[in-house]
Amino acid sequence: MQGHNWIAILDFGSQYSQLIARRVREQRVYSELLRFDTSAKALAARKPAGIILSGGPASVLDKGSPLCDPALYELGIPVLGICYGQQMTAKLLNGTVKPGKAREYGSAQISVQDHSDLFRDLPDTLDVWMSHGDQVETLPPGFKVLAQTHTCPIAAMGDPVRRLYGLQFHPEVVHTPQGVNLLKRFLFDICRCRPDWEMAQFIKESVQAIRERVGDGHVLCGLSGGVDSSVVAALIHRAIGKQLHCVFVDNGLLRHGESEQVEETFGSAFGVDLHVARAQDVFLSALKGVVDPEQKRKVIGKTFIDIFSREARAFGEVQYLAQGTLYPDVIESASPLGGPSVTIKSHHNVGGLPPDLKFKLIEPVRELFKDEVRLLGRELGLSEAMVNRQPFPGPGMAVRILGEVTAERVTLLQKADQRVQEEMQKDPLYARIWQSFAVLLPIQTVGVMGDCRTYENVVALRIVESQDGMTADWSRVSYDTLARMSSRIINEVSGINRVVYDISSKPPATIEWE
């Protein structure tokens, strides 16, 4: 991204850095996370409208703490330092920082002292979210106090002439209710950004870039049935049409009707050159006797690579491999305080291909967050059912079947899970749900059906709410919804006589059971 209408966010390791980027993009302004030590020269060359310095776990009082290039304050570009970013700004511009007498973690209330720019039209007192031990003791020359708390005399500071600002609190989190309005003041009043970050423009630019890069070449894309690979396939197909070849490896471990949906969407509706490798028997044979979760993943991963590689060789000279790498994958694969890594997390992509398959990667959505990928999918004409698919593990049903994976157990779980999906989609809470699914447990319990005693399988329901999957809480779905799921599973799926509900959060539990 070049030009003047974007925001550079220097990442000092805050747990909220990605959230800052998301909040900016929610205002239809493009943002990008960069390393904390990105030089002022590099920033000047790319001409951002503003720079945000994130928070971070370090203390500016410690020797060797990460610092930005001091020259960035002289670029004439507006700067907003958040938490650690404010303390660092004070230190580098000849103010002073000290350990706070009272550490502040959690909710606090600030008193606004100056409403002239950053706090324009905002109330005199604001609820905010603090997370700091150090605080600014004396202001750098040219700065004034914008807000304070009882224990933090400089909760916000600013130099309106140079357009340099600092906040001791986090405006990006939901616990700071007016935080979005603060960011809007910075983006639109101070940086003079335009709200023009739109998917239509992204599609136009991406299509052009793909065409220029590929030329007369061909692209191979591994379709999984998930949102990311589906959107990537649709975008590349719009750019190069018949030069795209998709391979869908049907491992037999997908949700009910999933393989048919993929074939219908891409083979029929979009007219993509789709090659389906039906390999359920191969995967089940490889999984025979395997009960360890990690071993299951390795077996499935290796089997997938073997089949995908065989299919890829059949295309002959294909130069490019498309992958659904997302922006969080890129960020998480590089340590902001270490060095950038070229290794993207393997479970997101086709990693480990044989040496003879030397592809150049095309990752057209690597600048996007998950919600933006869904929006892109809608713009490209994908159905809501496809775009709104819940995250699904790469190993599929294999890690939702505790114990050995067999054809019978896969069918049993698919039928139970189908009823979970159907009932959840009727629930008013569905839009808030991150994942909802059934887990087949490796135990049997006694039951009574009619006048007969049964000894059959147990299914656990896992329904969670989350923003990003990093943390999650079990969903308080209605008893009526749970009752319908239980009744349908027990009455309609032969072989299950008991349903339980998982009410553990992440952490300490994980979302998946394996």
Side-chain angles (χ1 to χ4, degrees):
M1 184 79 181
Q2 305 292 335
H4 297 275
N5 201 49
W6 71 286
I7 298 294
I9 301 167
L10 302 196
D11 182 10
F12 291 85
S14 169
Q15 60 180 320
Y16 302 127
S17 293
Q18 285 192 37
L19 190 55
I20 300 171
R22 290 176 63 89
R23 291 288 180 260
V24 173
R25 291 191 186 185
E26 285 168 3
Q27 301 306 315
R28 296 172 56 206
V29 175
Y30 181 73
S31 64
E32 191 172 321
L33 273 173
L34 304 175
R35 284 179 54 101
F36 73 95
D37 54 0
T38 301
S39 70
K41 182 178 179 181
L43 287 167
R46 294 191 59 192
K47 300 183 176 68
I51 300 168
I52 295 178
L53 310 174
S54 84
S59 167
V60 295
L61 301 175
D62 293 340
K63 185 178 180 180
S65 58
L67 299 174
C68 67
D69 182 348
L72 69 81
Y73 296 105
E74 308 302 323
L75 295 176
I77 298 173
V79 177
L80 174 65
I82 295 175
C83 199
Y84 181 88
Q86 167 171 292
Q87 297 154 15
M88 179 180 60
T89 297
K91 177 180 178 179
L92 292 176
L93 297 181
N94 299 314
T96 60
V97 178
K98 66 172 183 177
K101 292 181 180 178
R103 291 175 176 267
E104 286 187 291
Y105 295 100
S107 297
Q109 191 172 74
I110 62 168
S111 172
V112 178
Q113 308 298 305
D114 189 310
H115 288 274
S116 58
D117 46 12
L118 199 60
F119 290 89
R120 182 177 60 82
D121 297 333
L122 295 181
D124 292 336
T125 58
L126 300 176
D127 293 325
V128 301
W129 183 260
M130 292 282 193
S131 179
H132 70 99
D134 302 335
Q135 59 181 240
V136 177
E137 182 177 33
T138 58
L139 291 167
F143 280 76
K144 59 183 178 179
V145 176
L146 302 182
Q148 58 189 195
T149 73
H150 294 301
T151 57
C152 184
I154 306 175
M157 64 183 194
D159 179 346
V161 175
R162 290 188 289 171
R163 299 186 296 172
L164 306 177
Y165 299 88
L167 301 174
Q168 186 55 73
F169 54 91
H170 290 273
E172 69 274 23
V173 301
V174 295
H175 309 294
T176 302
Q178 292 281 356
V180 170
N181 288 325
L182 268 170
L183 289 173
K184 287 168 74 172
R185 298 288 179 272
F186 180 69
L187 296 175
F188 301 119
D189 295 357
I190 295 168
C191 299
R192 304 294 182 189
C193 290
R194 301 181 307 279
D196 61 2
W197 168 240
E198 296 178 339
M199 276 303 133
Q201 183 64 25
F202 178 86
I203 291 172
K204 182 179 178 182
E205 293 175 0
S206 297
V207 164
Q208 181 65 26
I210 292 167
R211 286 174 179 166
E212 289 178 358
R213 184 174 180 201
V214 174
D216 295 329
H218 290 258
V219 179
L220 186 63
C221 178
L223 271 176
S224 68
V227 177
D228 304 338
S229 67
S230 298
V231 171
V232 165
L235 179 60
I236 296 177
H237 184 255
R238 176 170 292 193
I240 60 173
K242 295 185 182 301
Q243 293 165 252
L244 171 69
H245 312 282
C246 291
V247 172
F248 173 50
V249 178
D250 183 357
N251 59 17
L253 303 170
L254 305 175
R255 286 169 285 204
H256 174 80
E258 193 159 55
S259 59
E260 292 82 1
Q261 184 185 35
V262 171
E263 291 184 62
E264 172 62 28
T265 298
F266 291 96
S268 302
F270 275 81
V272 171
D273 180 30
L274 177 64
H275 300 258
V276 180
R278 304 199 185 283
Q280 180 180 23
D281 292 344
V282 178
F283 279 88
L284 289 176
S285 177
L287 287 166
K288 189 173 182 179
V290 178
V291 297
D292 178 72
E294 190 56 31
Q295 189 62 26
K296 285 182 187 177
R297 293 176 183 273
K298 290 179 179 178
V299 167
I300 291 169
K302 181 182 183 304
T303 306
F304 174 84
I305 290 299
D306 290 344
I307 295 171
F308 185 85
S309 300
R310 182 192 69 203
E311 296 291 324
R313 291 188 182 97
F315 291 102
E317 293 297 319
V318 174
Q319 303 93 328
Y320 298 95
L321 177 67
Q323 293 195 151
T325 307
L326 302 190
Y327 199 33
D329 304 336
V330 177
I331 297 165
E332 291 168 12
S333 297
S335 169
L337 302 183
S341 168
V342 296
T343 304
I344 302 299
K345 294 188 295 185
S346 61
H347 67 270
H348 286 285
N349 302 287
V350 182
L353 288 170
D356 65 305
L357 293 173
K358 295 179 180 178
F359 295 111
K360 299 173 184 176
L361 287 183
I362 288 185
E363 300 169 309
V365 296
R366 64 180 285 121
E367 295 178 351
L368 303 184
F369 289 102
K370 189 77 172 188
D371 56 331
E372 293 170 328
V373 171
R374 295 186 195 278
L375 180 59
L376 174 59
R378 292 187 185 96
E379 291 274 345
L380 290 167
L382 291 176
S383 68
E384 284 298 312
M386 181 71 78
V387 169
N388 288 325
R389 291 185 68 84
Q390 296 176 354
F392 189 66
M397 293 289 183
V399 292
R400 293 177 179 174
I401 296 174
L402 276 59
E404 185 178 7
V405 180
T406 65
E408 294 75 22
R409 301 190 81 202
V410 170
T411 300
L412 199 64
L413 183 57
Q414 284 176 331
K415 289 180 178 179
D417 189 73
Q418 177 188 0
R419 285 143 181 86
V420 173
Q421 305 310 321
E422 289 172 353
E423 292 305 322
M424 275 309 306
Q425 288 169 17
K426 302 173 188 174
D427 192 283
L429 282 180
Y430 186 69
R432 287 169 41 185
I433 300 301
W434 176 260
Q435 279 175 287
S436 51
F437 55 89
V439 181
L440 184 61
L441 306 188
I443 57 174
Q444 292 181 309
T445 65
V446 174
V448 177
M449 290 188 175
D451 295 323
C452 300
R453 178 180 182 275
T454 62
Y455 191 61
E456 293 180 334
N457 295 280
V458 181
V459 158
L461 305 182
R462 185 68 161 141
I463 306 171
V464 297
E465 298 177 26
S466 175
Q467 293 296 315
D468 52 17
M470 301 302 292
T471 62
D473 193 17
W474 62 277
S475 179
R476 276 66 169 173
V477 292
S478 71
Y479 288 156
D480 288 343
T481 296
L482 292 174
R484 284 195 300 272
M485 288 180 186
S486 176
S487 177
R488 288 194 60 194
I489 291 170
I490 291 172
N491 288 306
E492 299 173 17
V493 183
S494 178
I496 297 173
N497 69 354
R498 191 177 299 270
V499 175
V500 298
Y501 189 41
D502 181 349
I503 58 169
S504 47
S505 297
K506 175 186 179 181
T510 54
I511 296 177
E512 299 289 346
W513 277 47
E514 287 194 342

